[in-house]
Amino acid sequence: MTLLKLFNASNANSPKDDAGGFNSQLENKGRDQPPSPPKDDVDFDSTEAATPQGKSSVSFLRSKVSLACLWILFFALLVVGGVGIFQYNSASASAVGHIQQQETLIVANNRGKAGKEPSLLCDSPIKCGHTVTGKDKLSLLEDVVCTDTEGPDDEDDCAITISGEGAELDCNGFMISQETSGSWKYGICVSDGAKAVKCPVQRFGVGYEGAGIRVEDGGEVEDSEVMFNIHNGIEVGGSQGSTATTKISDTFIHDNGSTGIRFNGETGSESSIQIEGVRTINNGETGMVFIVLADTTMILRVKDSETSYNGRNGMFIEGSISNPGGYLNFELDGFFNSRYNSLGLGVDNADWEGEMRVKGVVNIYKNKYYGLGIFSATTAVNVVVDKRGALNSCSNDQVGNGFKDIFNDGSGTFSGEDGYTCGAEGNSGTGSSTGADLPDCEYCPSCPSE
């Protein structure tokens, strides 16, 4: 029993801390298989241990037990050191991974074919003139500023170009801009089905050309802000004979020098334009402009949007005198507000046909001159108000010079049972032999006060 007491006493004098003591190691590493001291050949029940000759045996055994305790302490230190090194390496690897993630400014988010992992595109800040194609995703983690000294290779270049269905630019709210004396015509060029998301874009354009964003042959702009560009906010175009769909949604377009959104297709093209949740506010000329050319089909859908406080027109649809023709299918759904412009909604110029269908609530009010104006005698436009729709054109002519809420020079026709503002001050127009009176209405929506 003396040896057992010595062994216990040896353990009692050893360090016992929670950071790596022998006992805590046993508790943390499992109690079913604790380390044990080396076995010896002594029978603790033997009577020889009480004889004088047994004293030397006891001393010898004490030295063996002490040696065993040293081995156990050495083993415990190895275990504690190993755990500490493992934890340090794990923490270091985690920190390195976090730093690498923070430093990565451009990441690929493309799986492509089944089993293909996304690859890293770049690990340094991008510069103006960057291009992304294919199905890659470009994510910004800082602003992109085009300086005076880094001009484009040619005058048509963009600060960032994304091209191809599946290609995407996610700005994460970081600004893309250029210095006031820069030479970049466009901030972002989107083409062939690519997409730009969460992108504030400002100060692009050269002279009377350029825009914050240009969409060519289809693409998407979503949840963005386009502002303070020298010429247009967003330009939409298409190549000759192309068929493309352009979507602009949840985007604020304001304080641009000329037009908020400008569409100008090419001859023979078919374009579908979907605008939803868009506001074009306080632009220098017109909030939204759509130009219909010869042999061109345009399908225009506008939903839950507003165009107000612009220098000239809220929305204007026009043709080309030099290139007449084409067809427009125009639909207003949800709500549409056009107020505090010079003209609320205008249709003008050239020989093209179309239909304007009101499926939601359209409020055209408190504009400086006309509310709704159909001006060209060669344009055949039928305005149809669905039963659940309402065309409110009222309280316009803010200058008090006799301008009408609805002006029709005779080329427009009106149909529908409900929804027209009964109190709208219509005008059959001058110089027209037929005129066009507004249909009687059963439901009289009130004109909004603001």
Side-chain angles (χ1 to χ4, degrees):
M1 300 302 294
T2 304
L3 294 180
L4 183 58
K5 290 180 180 180
L6 285 173
F7 181 72
N8 291 335
S10 173
N11 285 334
N13 294 328
S14 63
K16 294 182 179 180
D17 56 66
D18 293 336
F22 176 70
N23 291 334
S24 71
Q25 289 296 322
L26 289 181
E27 292 174 358
N28 294 334
K29 294 300 181 180
R31 301 180 180 179
D32 54 339
Q33 293 180 347
S36 58
K39 293 182 180 180
D40 53 62
D41 298 327
V42 178
D43 184 1
F44 290 101
D45 294 331
S46 173
T47 58
E48 293 180 1
T51 63
Q53 293 84 358
K55 293 182 179 180
S56 60
S57 299
V58 170
S59 300
F60 173 74
L61 289 173
R62 284 179 178 175
S63 63
K64 291 187 66 176
V65 170
S66 299
L67 181 61
C69 290
L70 290 175
W71 277 108
I72 292 172
L73 180 60
F74 177 73
F75 176 78
L77 291 174
L78 287 178
V79 172
V80 172
V83 171
I85 293 173
F86 174 79
Q87 292 177 343
Y88 173 79
N89 289 337
S90 298
S92 299
S94 177
V96 171
H98 180 71
I99 293 172
Q100 290 176 341
Q101 182 180 15
Q102 292 296 319
E103 290 179 345
T104 300
L105 300 183
I106 303 173
V107 297
N109 188 20
N110 168 34
R111 285 193 173 272
K113 298 181 180 180
K116 181 180 180 181
E117 294 296 330
S119 58
L120 190 65
L121 293 180
C122 181
D123 61 356
S124 60
I126 69 169
K127 297 181 179 180
C128 296
H130 194 90
T131 299
V132 177
T133 59
K135 295 183 179 295
D136 291 324
K137 179 178 179 179
L138 177 68
S139 295
L140 301 185
L141 295 182
E142 65 178 15
D143 294 339
V144 176
V145 180
C146 301
T147 64
D148 295 343
T149 58
E150 53 174 6
D153 295 334
D154 61 69
E155 63 180 7
D156 293 327
D157 276 355
C158 307
I160 298 178
T161 299
I162 50 174
S163 179
E165 187 173 354
E168 180 176 330
L169 169 64
D170 187 347
C171 297
N172 290 310
F174 290 99
M175 183 75 69
I176 300 176
S177 63
Q178 76 168 337
E179 296 179 350
T180 54
S181 59
S183 55
W184 298 87
K185 288 177 66 175
Y186 302 103
I188 304 173
C189 285
V190 180
S191 64
D192 298 321
K195 183 177 183 179
V197 183
K198 298 178 183 178
C199 294
V201 185
Q202 67 174 3
R203 296 178 181 171
F204 286 92
V206 178
Y208 294 100
E209 295 183 291
I213 300 176
R214 177 168 177 80
V215 182
E216 186 80 17
D217 290 332
E220 296 185 47
V221 178
E222 178 182 319
D223 194 16
S224 297
E225 184 175 5
V226 187
M227 56 198 161
F228 305 118
N229 294 285
I230 297 174
H231 195 47
N232 298 322
I234 297 179
E235 288 185 3
V236 182
S239 57
Q240 187 169 358
S242 64
T243 300
T245 298
T246 299
K247 298 179 182 179
I248 304 173
S249 61
D250 301 321
T251 295
F252 186 22
I253 308 167
H254 64 94
D255 295 287
N256 297 285
S258 182
T259 301
I261 299 175
R262 181 180 179 86
F263 171 82
N264 191 355
E266 291 291 336
T267 301
S269 63
E270 296 183 7
S271 300
S272 174
I273 305 171
Q274 302 173 22
I275 296 174
E276 182 172 354
V278 172
R279 292 184 298 155
T280 56
I281 307 294
N282 201 40
N283 296 285
E285 295 184 7
T286 300
M288 306 180 188
V289 173
F290 304 94
I291 300 175
V292 183
L293 300 178
D295 194 27
T296 297
T297 298
M298 182 191 302
I299 300 173
L300 176 61
R301 302 284 185 266
V302 180
K303 182 177 181 180
D304 297 336
S305 297
E306 178 173 2
T307 176
S308 300
Y309 297 95
N310 297 288
R312 294 180 62 185
N313 310 307
M315 177 185 290
F316 210 82
I317 302 172
E318 61 180 294
S320 171
I321 297 176
S322 60
N323 194 10
Y327 178 80
L328 171 70
N329 187 325
F330 177 30
E331 183 179 288
L332 291 165
D333 200 357
F335 74 85
F336 176 77
N337 292 335
S338 181
R339 55 183 179 153
Y340 298 106
N341 307 286
S342 293
L343 169 69
L345 173 58
V347 178
D348 194 11
N349 282 345
D351 184 16
W352 56 270
E353 297 181 357
E355 178 181 87
M356 171 181 160
R357 181 172 291 272
V358 178
K359 300 180 68 175
V361 178
V362 175
N363 298 314
I364 306 173
Y365 62 103
K366 292 193 174 181
N367 293 286
K368 189 175 182 180
Y369 304 124
Y370 294 110
L372 169 63
I374 302 176
F375 301 107
S376 176
T378 60
T379 300
V381 178
N382 184 31
V383 180
V384 181
V385 180
D386 286 352
K387 191 175 184 61
R388 67 182 180 90
L391 175 58
N392 298 319
S393 184
C394 47
S395 299
N396 296 287
D397 187 26
Q398 292 292 296
V399 295
N401 288 338
F403 294 98
K404 308 300 180 181
D405 292 321
I406 298 177
F407 177 85
N408 176 25
D409 70 352
S411 58
T413 60
F414 293 84
S415 63
E417 297 179 357
D418 300 330
Y420 293 98
T421 303
C422 296
E425 190 173 356
N427 187 346
S428 297
T430 59
S432 171
S433 59
T434 58
D437 295 330
L438 298 179
D440 294 333
C441 61
E442 300 175 5
Y443 169 68
C444 301
S446 59
C447 183
S449 59
E450 287 296 335

